[in-house]
Amino acid sequence: QVQLVESGGELVQAGDSLRLSCATSGRTFSSYAMGWFRQAPGKEREFVAAIGRSTLSTRYADSVKGRFTISRDNAKNTVYLQMNSLKPEDTAVYYCAAKYQTYYSNEVFAAPSEYEYWGQGTQVTVSS
């Protein structure tokens, strides 16, 4: 089992940048594919970005492609989401998620149902 704790969310202005962190503890971090999702009030949770066990494998939602970057540091057991050129529509609670993999692969996962473990979320608010 793995525990996930997100941090870094805050109130910013449109055009600003933020970096979210998701610190993990428990089983070997490198055995997990990781993802970031977000949920705005009144909306369903949506996919933002994912990274596989291999740092070469990433995937992004069209809405954030070119602005957000997901990365992982296996030595620090942490996954990051660098968010640039933030827009008011990026306002949401951001969650990180983990999917344990018994085998090494380059797979990335965009569906919330694929993930077994979730953090508590961190609020990002972008004012116009």
Side-chain angles (χ1 to χ4, degrees), residues 17-126:
S17 297
L18 272 180
R19 189 176 79 159
L20 304 183
S21 300
C22 175
T24 73
S25 61
R27 297 176 76 175
T28 307
F29 176 67
S30 60
S31 296
Y32 291 86
M34 303 296 295
W36 283 97
F37 293 79
R38 65 187 182 187
Q39 188 166 17
K43 296 187 176 181
E44 292 189 356
R45 190 168 299 190
E46 66 172 0
F47 169 73
V48 175
I51 189 166
R53 290 187 61 181
S54 165
T55 58
L56 298 177
S57 303
T58 59
R59 181 176 173 181
Y60 297 91
D62 288 343
S63 59
V64 307
K65 201 171 294 183
R67 299 188 297 123
F68 291 11
T69 302
I70 188 171
S71 62
R72 64 189 298 161
D73 185 336
N74 288 345
K76 296 183 177 180
N77 296 336
T78 301
V79 63
Y80 303 98
L81 185 68
Q82 177 67 42
M83 305 186 295
N84 299 329
S85 302
L86 282 161
K87 305 175 180 180
E89 51 264 43
D90 295 319
T91 295
V93 177
Y94 283 71
Y95 299 90
C96 72
K99 175 181 174 61
Y100 181 71
Q101 290 187 284
T102 58
Y103 55 92
Y104 187 82
S105 79
N106 293 325
E107 290 179 273
V108 292
F109 304 92
S113 59
E114 297 273 10
Y115 291 87
E116 303 151 309
Y117 305 102
W118 292 83
Q120 83 291 345
T122 185
Q123 176 71 48
V124 173
T125 304
V126 184

Side-chain angles (χ1 to χ4, degrees), residues 12-14 88 126-128:
V12 297
Q13 293 188 334
V126 184
S127 64
S128 57

